[in-house]
Amino acid sequence: MNLFQIRINQTITTEVAADAPASLLEVIESTGIEARFHCRNGFCGACRTRLVSGSVVYDTEPLAYVRQGDILPCVCRPASDMVIEHD
């Protein structure tokens, strides 16, 4: 099984299977971090998170504006090992 390592805020590290159906937001929540969100479908942008390194794939193209270097965890999944900064 192929696993991606995800480091959150330089303190929490977790692993997720490459073929896992969970969104990155669900992965963040599984670590015990209380994540900001509203819509869970890429519309509002409330979950916007800084992608320090790595890559994601979007299951659904987000409707909210996404600045370069940011991601919307509610509608993406990890595509590699990654480091994120999440409020």
Side-chain angles (χ1 to χ4, degrees), residues 14-52:
T14 190
E15 290 183 334
V16 62
D19 59 353
S23 70
L24 184 55
L25 180 60
E26 293 168 321
V27 172
I28 292 168
E29 291 172 328
S30 75
T31 67
I33 292 176
E34 197 169 308
R36 283 180 306 148
F37 69 90
H38 288 284
C39 68
R40 287 192 183 261
N41 63 14
F43 182 73
C44 71
C47 66
R48 186 173 285 115
T49 298
R50 176 98 174 113
L51 178 64
V52 177

Side-chain angles (χ1 to χ4, degrees), residues 7-9 28 49-52 71 82-86:
R7 181 172 293 258
I8 306 166
N9 298 337
I28 292 168
T49 298
R50 176 98 174 113
L51 178 64
V52 177
I71 56 173
M82 61 193 314
V83 176
I84 60 174
E85 291 177 0
H86 187 75

Side-chain angles (χ1 to χ4, degrees), residues 37-87:
F37 69 90
H38 288 284
C39 68
R40 287 192 183 261
N41 63 14
F43 182 73
C44 71
C47 66
R48 186 173 285 115
T49 298
R50 176 98 174 113
L51 178 64
V52 177
S53 66
S55 60
V56 298
V57 293
Y58 283 93
D59 293 328
T60 304
E61 194 64 31
L63 297 174
Y65 174 72
V66 183
R67 297 179 301 238
Q68 178 138 358
D70 285 350
I71 56 173
L72 295 181
C74 70
V75 289
C76 71
R77 290 180 292 112
S80 68
D81 291 342
M82 61 193 314
V83 176
I84 60 174
E85 291 177 0
H86 187 75
D87 293 340

